[in-house]
Amino acid sequence: MEKPAQVGKYIVEEELGRGATSVVYRGHDTFGNREVAIKVFNPAGFSSDDQRRKFEKLFITEAAMAGKLNHPHIVNILDASIEGEFHYIVMEMLRGKTLEPHVQPDTLLDTAEVLQIIFKCCTALDFAARKGIIHRDIKPANIMLCDSGELKITDFGAAMINDTEKTQMAGVGSPAYMSPEQLREDDLTLQTDIYSVGVMLYQLLTGHLPYTADNTYALIHKIMNEAPQDVRSLRPDIHSELARIVHKALEKSLAARYQNWADFAADLAGCVNPSTVDKKTIPDSEKFNVLKSLDFFRDFTETELWEVLRVSVWRRLKAGTALIKEGDTGKSFFILAEGSVQVTKMGKQLSRLKAGDCFGEMAYIDQSSAMRNASVTAASEVMLIKIEADALMNASDNLQLKFNRTFLRILVSRLAVANKGLATLMA
């Protein structure tokens, strides 16, 4: 297939890569004024009509994802269409590399980083599963580590959408990462993706697949009938709890395997060993779980919580640390994730705030005034979330709306408490 000058409304600029069935181009969306990736279906790549029909179904499946999977760790499908000879899908442009370079024994990532990657995969695939979508082809080649620091799951072409008329197609997926039930062509649930993520976790930790064989038939036999080699026989330094998590994800029995993504993610987050992480660094898995536990964020979706992580700075600070000084200027506000703080004005204590409370929010609410009207000091060791007003102003409309509604709820609550106190004094 020669490079076209234009596909639909998109200007084609250069070829990024090609396979037997598709070509991916870098393009320009003239309407949205943004760079995009255009995946064009290549009919010439099929050896038979049956193969062409199968991959046309996969194309339609991936096209159906447009607008359904709006999650920070899933590639955003912007558009899909069939126009004349072109079958194409338009996606956000990603720059980075896949996990493939990190599945060899001499190129492994740090264990703490692997845990964060798999945790993010769990939350993203949980989001997809709640939308009725199972990926069915999870493997390192379909996980992108972007130059921006973000992780993206790509290639939902093999996905199973639960509300479609036909939910299964044989011969889809990569055998080494396929679950026993997928190889048997049983009805699939989200647990098939859990198994595939388990294989990927095993490989990222050891540089080896849990099963290898000389041919596909022997490989399938092993996956369906043999226990995987103990992960600690390849990496003796792996903690016993992490080894348990890996092997639970790889259980052949659905009853013994993780039943849902939440339990898998929770075990991974609990397995992060603080001694292996820089004390000043707070893992994203811990941040995400903290946000989910705070009353401040009770109305935020998981997608919005991940965006909060992107626009915020987190710090652990000792008791007695001055967080805000009366009379100073600043355009940031704070949410207390752990611990407590003392609020004073002219040396007199006004209040004591606990986890889930916010302070300094007037810097965001009233953009014309940035002077602090009270001092805030850490009363204990604290974990503090700091958000610059400008960073939130540049965030998505949905996130700004959620913060605005939350601040309004807090202000109304504070006003009610003040009115009650005033009424008591007057009485």
Side-chain angles (χ1 to χ4, degrees), residues 321-341:
T321 304
L323 308 177
I324 287 180
K325 292 184 179 180
E326 184 179 354
D328 284 355
T329 58
K331 287 192 173 183
S332 54
F333 63 91
F334 305 84
I335 301 156
L336 195 57
E338 289 179 0
S340 62
V341 299

CSV table of all heavy atoms in Angstrom, one decimal, residues 321-341:
chain,number,residue,atom,x,y,z
A,321,THR,N,6.3,21.8,60.5
A,321,THR,CA,6.6,22.4,59.2
A,321,THR,C,5.5,23.5,58.9
A,321,THR,O,4.3,23.2,58.9
A,321,THR,CB,6.7,21.4,58.0
A,321,THR,OG1,7.6,20.4,58.3
A,321,THR,CG2,7.1,22.1,56.7
A,322,ALA,N,6.0,24.7,58.6
A,322,ALA,CA,5.1,25.8,58.2
A,322,ALA,C,4.7,25.6,56.7
A,322,ALA,O,5.5,25.5,55.8
A,322,ALA,CB,5.8,27.2,58.3
A,323,LEU,N,3.4,25.4,56.5
A,323,LEU,CA,2.9,25.1,55.2
A,323,LEU,C,2.4,26.4,54.5
A,323,LEU,O,2.6,26.5,53.3
A,323,LEU,CB,1.7,24.1,55.3
A,323,LEU,CG,2.0,22.8,56.1
A,323,LEU,CD1,0.8,21.9,56.2
A,323,LEU,CD2,3.2,22.1,55.4
A,324,ILE,N,1.8,27.2,55.2
A,324,ILE,CA,1.3,28.5,54.7
A,324,ILE,C,1.6,29.6,55.8
A,324,ILE,O,1.3,29.3,56.9
A,324,ILE,CB,-0.2,28.5,54.3
A,324,ILE,CG1,-0.4,27.7,53.0
A,324,ILE,CG2,-0.7,30.0,54.1
A,324,ILE,CD1,-1.9,27.7,52.6
A,325,LYS,N,2.1,30.8,55.4
A,325,LYS,CA,2.3,31.8,56.3
A,325,LYS,C,1.4,33.0,56.0
A,325,LYS,O,1.2,33.4,54.9
A,325,LYS,CB,3.7,32.3,56.3
A,325,LYS,CG,4.7,31.3,56.8
A,325,LYS,CD,6.2,31.8,56.8
A,325,LYS,CE,7.1,30.8,57.4
A,325,LYS,NZ,8.5,31.3,57.4
A,326,GLU,N,0.7,33.5,57.1
A,326,GLU,CA,-0.2,34.6,57.0
A,326,GLU,C,0.5,35.8,56.3
A,326,GLU,O,1.6,36.2,56.7
A,326,GLU,CB,-0.8,35.0,58.3
A,326,GLU,CG,-1.8,36.0,58.4
A,326,GLU,CD,-2.3,36.3,59.8
A,326,GLU,OE1,-1.9,35.5,60.7
A,326,GLU,OE2,-3.1,37.3,60.0
A,327,GLY,N,-0.2,36.4,55.3
A,327,GLY,CA,0.4,37.6,54.7
A,327,GLY,C,1.2,37.3,53.4
A,327,GLY,O,1.5,38.2,52.6
A,328,ASP,N,1.7,36.0,53.3
A,328,ASP,CA,2.4,35.6,52.1
A,328,ASP,C,1.4,35.6,50.9
A,328,ASP,O,0.2,35.5,51.1
A,328,ASP,CB,3.1,34.3,52.3
A,328,ASP,CG,4.3,34.4,53.1
A,328,ASP,OD1,4.7,35.5,53.5
A,328,ASP,OD2,4.9,33.3,53.5
A,329,THR,N,2.0,35.5,49.7
A,329,THR,CA,1.2,35.4,48.5
A,329,THR,C,1.4,34.0,47.9
A,329,THR,O,2.5,33.4,48.1
A,329,THR,CB,1.5,36.4,47.5
A,329,THR,OG1,2.9,36.4,47.1
A,329,THR,CG2,1.2,37.8,48.0
A,330,GLY,N,0.4,33.5,47.2
A,330,GLY,CA,0.6,32.2,46.6
A,330,GLY,C,-0.7,31.8,45.8
A,330,GLY,O,-1.8,32.3,46.1
A,331,LYS,N,-0.5,31.0,44.8
A,331,LYS,CA,-1.7,30.6,44.0
A,331,LYS,C,-1.9,29.1,44.0
A,331,LYS,O,-2.4,28.5,43.0
A,331,LYS,CB,-1.4,31.0,42.5
A,331,LYS,CG,-1.6,32.5,42.3
A,331,LYS,CD,-1.7,32.9,40.9
A,331,LYS,CE,-2.0,34.4,40.7
A,331,LYS,NZ,-2.2,34.8,39.3
A,332,SER,N,-1.5,28.4,45.1
A,332,SER,CA,-1.7,27.0,45.2
A,332,SER,C,-2.7,26.7,46.3
A,332,SER,O,-2.8,27.5,47.2
A,332,SER,CB,-0.4,26.3,45.4
A,332,SER,OG,0.3,26.8,46.6
A,333,PHE,N,-3.3,25.6,46.2
A,333,PHE,CA,-4.2,25.1,47.4
A,333,PHE,C,-3.7,23.7,47.7
A,333,PHE,O,-3.0,23.1,47.0
A,333,PHE,CB,-5.7,25.2,47.0
A,333,PHE,CG,-6.1,24.3,45.9
A,333,PHE,CD1,-6.6,23.0,46.2
A,333,PHE,CD2,-6.1,24.8,44.6
A,333,PHE,CE1,-7.0,22.2,45.1
A,333,PHE,CE2,-6.6,24.0,43.6
A,333,PHE,CZ,-7.0,22.7,43.8
A,334,PHE,N,-4.2,23.2,48.9
A,334,PHE,CA,-3.7,22.0,49.4
A,334,PHE,C,-4.8,21.1,49.9
A,334,PHE,O,-5.9,21.6,50.4
A,334,PHE,CB,-2.8,22.3,50.6
A,334,PHE,CG,-1.6,23.2,50.3
A,334,PHE,CD1,-1.8,24.6,50.3
A,334,PHE,CD2,-0.4,22.7,49.9
A,334,PHE,CE1,-0.8,25.5,50.0
A,334,PHE,CE2,0.7,23.6,49.6
A,334,PHE,CZ,0.5,24.9,49.7
A,335,ILE,N,-4.6,19.8,49.8
A,335,ILE,CA,-5.5,18.8,50.4
A,335,ILE,C,-4.7,17.9,51.3
A,335,ILE,O,-3.6,17.5,50.9
A,335,ILE,CB,-6.2,18.0,49.3
A,335,ILE,CG1,-7.0,18.9,48.4
A,335,ILE,CG2,-7.2,17.0,49.9
A,335,ILE,CD1,-7.3,18.4,47.0
A,336,LEU,N,-5.2,17.7,52.5
A,336,LEU,CA,-4.4,16.9,53.5
A,336,LEU,C,-4.8,15.5,53.2
A,336,LEU,O,-5.9,15.0,53.4
A,336,LEU,CB,-4.8,17.4,54.9
A,336,LEU,CG,-3.9,16.9,56.0
A,336,LEU,CD1,-2.5,17.3,55.8
A,336,LEU,CD2,-4.5,17.4,57.3
A,337,ALA,N,-3.7,14.7,52.8
A,337,ALA,CA,-3.9,13.3,52.6
A,337,ALA,C,-3.8,12.4,53.8
A,337,ALA,O,-4.5,11.4,54.0
A,337,ALA,CB,-2.9,12.8,51.5
A,338,GLU,N,-2.9,12.8,54.7
A,338,GLU,CA,-2.7,12.1,56.0
A,338,GLU,C,-2.2,13.1,57.0
A,338,GLU,O,-1.6,14.1,56.7
A,338,GLU,CB,-1.6,11.0,55.8
A,338,GLU,CG,-2.0,9.8,55.0
A,338,GLU,CD,-0.9,8.8,54.9
A,338,GLU,OE1,0.2,9.0,55.5
A,338,GLU,OE2,-1.1,7.7,54.2
A,339,GLY,N,-2.5,12.8,58.3
A,339,GLY,CA,-2.1,13.7,59.4
A,339,GLY,C,-3.1,14.8,59.7
A,339,GLY,O,-4.2,14.8,59.3
A,340,SER,N,-2.6,15.8,60.4
A,340,SER,CA,-3.4,16.9,60.8
A,340,SER,C,-2.6,18.2,60.8
A,340,SER,O,-1.4,18.2,60.9
A,340,SER,CB,-4.0,16.7,62.2
A,340,SER,OG,-3.0,16.7,63.2
A,341,VAL,N,-3.3,19.4,60.6
A,341,VAL,CA,-2.6,20.7,60.6
A,341,VAL,C,-3.4,21.6,61.5
A,341,VAL,O,-4.6,21.5,61.7
A,341,VAL,CB,-2.5,21.3,59.1
A,341,VAL,CG1,-1.7,20.4,58.2
A,341,VAL,CG2,-3.9,21.5,58.6
